[in-house]
Amino acid sequence: MNMRLLLIFLGIVSVLIANQNLAFPKDYKEGVLYTSVIRGGVIEDIYAPKEAILALKEGKNLPDQTIITMEEYANDAGVRARLNRYIIMQKQGKEWKFQAFKADKSLNSAENTTRCLNCHKSISGEDIVFSLEAMKSYKGE
Ligand code: HEC
């Protein structure tokens, strides 16, 4: 392969990687449920890996590849009813990627993840996580 073809090939590969969807984080329950948020009609249970919480407690940023997972339930007078969906965010270097999944854990490709990023970007700093303080002050083991 000559150099130019190689560069074109690498360019295509990097575009494919950049646009890749995140897979469902099947091990997220090995992490901890560090906070629950009631937001009108939904109850949100938010999970993070223990190492991520530890890093925050040590005053560091969240580690590369950290995945934060939210289970979103219908709120039936303060009780979790039907599971609506899952949404996740993953740190990749200093960037965050977002993804939505249906209740059966299949990818929801109809979701516009640029919207996710744009809202989360309203947080300053590297870790654009709204519940960062809750994660930092999580008291469990
Ligand atoms: C209009 C603003 C907004 C949009 C759009 C948005 N989020 Fe969020 N997100 C929030 C807020 C605020 C929270 C904190 C929990 C709460 O208050 O409900 C949150 C929490 C989260 C969390 C838990 C970690 C954290 O930041 O606290 C994840 C994961 C998440 N969102 C993923 C997504 C994904 C994926 C999308 C797009 C499908 C999305 N969000 C779209 C505002 C937004």
Side-chain angles (χ1 to χ4, degrees), residues 98 114-123 128 130:
F98 294 80
T114 308
R115 235 190 98 237
C116 318
L117 176 64
N118 285 341
C119 185
H120 279 252
K121 267 201 313 214
S122 64
I123 302 169
I128 52 175
F130 283 96

Side-chain angles (χ1 to χ4, degrees), residues 62-80:
L62 289 172
D64 188 19
Q65 304 301 317
T66 293
I67 298 180
I68 305 174
T69 305
M70 181 198 289
E71 298 171 339
E72 186 193 289
Y73 293 89
N75 176 7
D76 182 8
V79 177
R80 287 165 189 72

Side-chain angles (χ1 to χ4, degrees), residues 9-24:
F9 174 74
L10 290 177
I12 292 171
V13 167
S14 63
V15 166
L16 287 177
I17 289 172
N19 290 331
Q20 224 172 27
N21 292 319
L22 300 179
F24 186 82

Side-chain angles (χ1 to χ4, degrees), residues 34 37 39 44 46 68-70 85 87-89 98-100 111-113 115-117 119-120 123 128-132:
Y34 66 91
V37 178
R39 172 171 289 278
E44 306 169 340
I46 311 179
I68 305 174
T69 305
M70 181 198 289
R85 62 167 182 168
I87 54 176
I88 70 167
M89 53 194 290
F98 294 80
Q99 200 77 67
E111 193 73 56
N112 176 1
T113 54
R115 235 190 98 237
C116 318
L117 176 64
C119 185
H120 279 252
I123 302 169
I128 52 175
V129 177
F130 283 96
S131 53
L132 206 61

